[in-house]
Amino acid sequence: QVQMVESGGGLVQAGGSLRLSCTASGLAFDTYEMGWFRQAPGKEREGVSCITQSGGSTYYADSVKDRFTISRDNAKNTLYLQMNSLKPEDTAMYYCAPQRGPGVCPIDNLKRFGYWGQGTQVTVSA
């Protein structure tokens, strides 16, 4: 069965850093583009970042550019998100998911990603 397990979230002060991990199982990880998404209370889930199969191209939401870095280790079936200079508005539940629809990292179209896990909570205090 396909499964995504996110980890690495926690409580940090503004300006701090966290490194999130997503371990995938049950699918050929290196054949999928992978994305990170987040959802704050009362808001819709939004795309944060995406990376192509071999890591050759990356994409970021404007709100996190120059602060977050996405990467992957296909040998470990693991996706990462390095989060620096965190802000209170980054507070959300963070999810990873493989792309299952058309296009190249269509991060703004959540319907083209699937196999959602339970997420990992990131809380940034002022």
Side-chain angles (χ1 to χ4, degrees), residues 37-61:
F37 307 83
R38 66 186 182 187
Q39 187 168 20
K43 300 185 66 177
E44 294 184 348
R45 191 169 300 183
E46 64 176 344
V48 174
S49 186
C50 187
I51 187 168
T52 52
Q53 291 91 334
S54 62
S57 297
T58 58
Y59 304 84
Y60 299 92

Side-chain angles (χ1 to χ4, degrees), residues 10-78:
L11 174 63
V12 299
Q13 292 185 320
S17 298
L18 285 172
R19 190 193 192 200
L20 306 184
S21 297
C22 166
T23 300
S25 61
L27 82 171
F29 181 75
D30 62 356
T31 70
Y32 288 91
E33 296 174 350
M34 294 291 299
W36 282 103
F37 307 83
R38 66 186 182 187
Q39 187 168 20
K43 300 185 66 177
E44 294 184 348
R45 191 169 300 183
E46 64 176 344
V48 174
S49 186
C50 187
I51 187 168
T52 52
Q53 291 91 334
S54 62
S57 297
T58 58
Y59 304 84
Y60 299 92
D62 288 342
S63 59
V64 307
K65 285 182 179 178
D66 302 319
R67 298 191 297 120
F68 292 8
T69 302
I70 190 171
S71 62
R72 65 192 295 163
D73 186 340
N74 288 342
K76 299 183 182 297
N77 282 5
T78 301

